[in-house]
Amino acid sequence: MKVKKLFLVAGIVLLVVAANACRKQEDTSGTAAIKKADLLKVGVKADVPGFGFFNTSTNQYEGLEIEIAGLLAAEILGDAGKIKFEPVTAKTRGPLLDNGELDMIIATFTITDERKLTYNFSTPYYTDAVGMLVKKSSGIGSLADLDGKTVGVAQSATSREAIDAAAKRIGVTLKFSEYATYPEIKAALDSGRVDVFSVDKSILNGYLDGESVILPDEFSPQPYGVTTKLSNKPLADYVDSLIQKWLSDGTIVALVERFRL
Ligand code: GLU
């Protein structure tokens, strides 16, 4: 009897050890929570053509960042369709990742040294630059024409620092107005409250119309990375290894060509 009991206890201990080992194995990619939900929750842009854009005629998101999200869902969940896309802005994306509502952000999120202290970023899948949108009727042709002018920028974006540094280098002094969203900046440009709308060129493309033009000037490279929580290093490493693979095997180049970026 005693021997039987001993075997029973030993058996239970073995089972627990084995179960723990399995759990640990699953967690090496940091995807346990995503697998449990059987859904990948991704923050994307809805207004950046070719990157993250909500097409109102098809009711679908489209663009490079949407495709990358699909590839990640296929790897993690075996199904590119198991995604919930959540539209984000420069201001909302960080908090939505912090509070656990989203698993990752793939939304023109520029990798900076400062942001690396708060989030994990993958290797860049694309690099853009900061540009300027002006009204054709303004006669503004470059940064040199902007002395004393007002630049509309988004809160929590890299744009203000980038354009201000470039202006200072050529002795131009700028004023700034900060807005929460891009439609607000475009409205301010249209009504003359700001002289320039400055952000990444990819984003400006979504606001270009017959009355406006994107100037040839560009400042500060903007490398975009898949952004994950700082606390989940295994997920960041796993995502990064996949991005690196898709960069080297031509997958991302093909997508960049497909969306004409
Ligand atoms: N890419 C820039 C940034 O991360 C512009 C803001 C945005 O992505 O909306 O700050």
Side-chain angles (χ1 to χ4, degrees):
M1 200 61 176
K2 262 198 178 156
V3 173
K4 257 191 187 170
K5 241 187 199 167
L6 204 67
F7 271 113
L8 193 67
V9 170
I12 290 170
V13 168
L14 267 179
L15 270 178
V16 170
V17 169
N20 266 337
C22 278
R23 208 174 309 140
K24 269 190 195 135
Q25 231 169 19
E26 266 174 35
D27 265 355
T28 53
S29 63
T31 54
I34 299 165
K35 284 181 176 145
K36 193 167 171 230
D38 202 23
L39 193 68
L40 181 65
K41 289 171 248 134
V42 188
V44 294
K45 290 293 186 77
D47 61 349
V48 186
F51 286 82
F53 189 79
F54 188 73
N55 184 333
T56 48
S57 53
T58 59
N59 271 339
Q60 302 279 343
Y61 282 94
E62 58 192 32
L64 168 67
E65 293 173 331
I66 305 305
E67 296 298 322
I68 291 175
L71 288 168
L72 287 165
E75 288 285 339
I76 300 168
L77 299 170
D79 183 345
K82 286 185 174 171
I83 302 185
K84 182 176 177 255
F85 289 118
E86 182 74 32
V88 298
T89 66
K91 203 178 167 187
T92 65
R93 62 193 169 187
L96 286 168
L97 192 59
D98 295 338
N99 71 15
E101 236 168 275
L102 299 175
D103 301 308
M104 54 184 72
I105 307 284
I106 316 179
T108 68
F109 212 147
T110 300
I111 306 163
T112 67
D113 286 341
E114 199 188 334
R115 287 176 176 168
K116 277 197 226 164
L117 302 174
T118 322
Y119 302 109
N120 283 316
F121 289 93
S122 72
T123 301
Y125 51 83
Y126 187 88
T127 298
D128 197 29
V130 174
M132 299 182 289
L133 181 80
V134 297
K135 275 175 128 177
K136 282 180 185 165
S137 60
S138 70
I140 296 168
S142 80
L143 186 61
D145 302 331
L146 289 181
D147 203 35
K149 302 273 194 228
T150 304
V151 184
V153 289
Q155 291 157 3
S156 313
T158 50
S159 339
R160 180 174 181 156
E161 219 178 291
I163 191 171
D164 203 31
K168 282 195 174 119
R169 280 198 291 274
I170 58 165
V172 163
T173 304
L174 303 173
K175 291 184 196 141
F176 288 95
S177 276
E178 294 201 359
Y179 297 86
T181 66
Y182 298 125
E184 288 170 81
I185 308 180
K186 181 60 167 60
L189 182 74
D190 289 345
S191 65
R193 281 174 288 134
V194 302
D195 303 292
V196 189
F197 173 2
S198 179
V199 73
D200 308 3
K201 287 191 159 180
S202 60
I203 298 169
L204 291 178
N205 267 321
Y207 292 90
L208 187 64
D209 58 19
E211 312 286 298
S212 57
V213 60
I214 296 174
L215 299 180
D217 284 350
E218 52 182 49
F219 329 100
S220 297
Q222 300 291 306
Y224 298 157
V226 178
T227 320
T228 49
K229 259 193 162 170
L230 195 65
S231 56
N232 194 345
K233 183 80 166 64
L235 179 63
D237 289 344
Y238 179 58
V239 167
D240 185 52
S241 70
L242 290 168
I243 293 293
Q244 288 199 39
K245 182 177 95 181
W246 296 327
L247 281 167
S248 58
D249 71 6
T251 304
I252 289 181
V253 175
L255 287 170
V256 166
E257 275 168 16
R258 179 167 136 207
F259 291 107
R260 298 170 207 274
L261 305 175

